Amino acid sequence: MSIVVTGATGHLGRHVVEQLLEKVPAERITAVVRNAEKAADLADRGVRIAVADYNVPETFDGLFAAGDKVLLISGNEFDKGRVGQHKVVLDAAKGAGVALFAYTSAPGSLTASLADDHRATEQLIVESGLPYVLLRNSWYHENYTENLTPVLEHGAVVQAAGEGRVASASRADYAAAAVAVLTGEGHENATYELSGDTAWSFAEYAAEVGGQAGKEIAYTTVPVDTYAGILTGAGLPGPLAAILAGVDVSIEKGELAVTTGDLSRLAGRPTTPVAESIKAALKG
């Protein structure tokens, strides 16, 4: 039996594989990647590398085996039909008769268009008949802390989220939940609403960044169209900018402020405070 992780060299996937290596022998882990060179370090540590592409269904032929546990990390190619990409992996897993199929989804409370592909994928997974786990990941600290350069340059956190709060957590936290499911028992057909233990506001976030950086950082809230324009001005494609701006609308409504405790329970520890991720980002 292998534990198979797709998108294994991505931001979240790497955390999952690294944490799996602490719990199971390397030869029991299969890292699914598009570029084997990016996974050379994992291969050196004994992890099995499988090269496959969501956009090329035949690359998944024979990749899975009966008894495998699979983690499908959702794709990030918003323009290539993510539901169809996910179905490629699901169909291959179903054909092999895997023991568990876990998927990184979006919070059940999220109504923004970002959630649409996730809901459609969840439906396909539930209908597949495979034992499944839906890991409904909330927002990541890194969505913000990895973009501190313009914040520090302009002395401002700019969002379209009003006074909304975000119960985010670190990628490592979400990875820990996935690893708990992949290495544990009794998670079949479960849905976990994963979020940080504490929800914070952007005013609090701006104050924390400013305090740690030793400079004045203000929080400025702008209309959603203005924010989408800022994102496109920063180089994001228009459709993706609209999706991300739509998430801010959901944040203002409180849709990402939900705290269930599922994440810290699965991880076996409290979630990482956003202040810690800010500190790490400022250290570079």
Side-chain angles (χ1 to χ4, degrees):
M1 182 206 85
S2 191
I3 296 175
V4 187
V5 180
T6 73
T9 52
H11 290 306
L12 179 61
R14 272 208 171 268
H15 279 289
V16 172
V17 174
E18 290 288 347
Q19 292 185 38
L20 280 172
L21 283 165
E22 297 172 6
K23 297 208 166 190
V24 299
E27 60 268 20
R28 280 191 53 204
I29 305 168
T30 298
V32 182
V33 300
R34 289 184 182 179
N35 183 339
E37 289 180 12
K38 290 184 178 179
D41 60 312
L42 298 177
D44 289 343
R45 294 165 70 182
V47 174
R48 177 185 169 229
I49 307 300
V51 178
D53 189 327
Y54 295 160
N55 300 303
V56 187
E58 58 268 25
T59 58
F60 282 90
D61 290 350
L63 197 156
F64 303 118
D68 285 351
K69 292 182 177 181
V70 178
L71 174 65
L72 169 58
I73 294 180
S74 55
N76 59 7
E77 294 178 317
F78 294 90
D79 58 336
K80 291 191 176 178
R82 291 197 298 168
V83 179
Q85 290 179 329
H86 297 159
K87 188 174 185 297
V88 165
V89 184
L90 178 62
D91 287 349
K94 183 178 179 180
V98 303
L100 190 71
F101 191 90
Y103 172 67
T104 61
S105 192
S109 55
L110 186 66
T111 62
S113 62
L114 178 73
D116 294 348
D117 287 349
H118 292 296
R119 296 291 161 261
T121 300
E122 284 186 3
Q123 185 174 349
L124 290 174
I125 291 169
V126 171
E127 290 173 352
S128 74
L130 286 174
Y132 66 84
V133 180
L134 302 180
L135 298 166
R136 288 179 169 171
N137 291 356
S138 190
W139 229 215
Y140 299 2
H141 292 335
E142 291 89 347
N143 290 345
Y144 303 108
T145 60
E146 288 183 349
N147 297 294
L148 285 180
T149 300
V151 171
L152 297 171
E153 271 181 20
H154 301 291
V157 170
V158 180
Q159 301 285 153
E163 296 179 11
R165 303 182 77 83
V166 183
S168 62
S170 71
R171 288 194 187 108
D173 293 337
Y174 292 110
V179 168
V181 162
L182 294 168
T183 60
E185 300 296 333
H187 299 287
E188 290 81 2
N189 303 334
T191 298
Y192 295 112
E193 296 288 347
L194 305 177
S195 62
D197 294 332
T198 305
W200 47 266
S201 71
F202 284 101
E204 292 167 349
Y205 176 78
E208 183 64 37
V209 173
Q212 290 198 32
K215 65 182 295 183
E216 190 71 27
I217 305 288
Y219 169 49
T220 303
T221 186
V222 298
V224 66
D225 291 343
T226 302
Y227 183 56
I230 291 169
L231 294 176
T232 54
L236 288 186
L240 179 56
I243 288 170
L244 293 178
V247 172
D248 268 27
V249 174
S250 285
I251 290 172
E252 186 169 26
K253 293 177 182 174
E255 293 175 9
L256 289 186
V258 179
T259 55
T260 65
D262 280 358
L263 181 50
S264 52
R265 278 192 292 273
L266 281 174
R269 56 169 173 76
T271 60
T272 305
V274 70
E276 261 187 51
S277 290
I278 292 170
K279 182 178 180 180
L282 289 172
K283 278 184 177 176

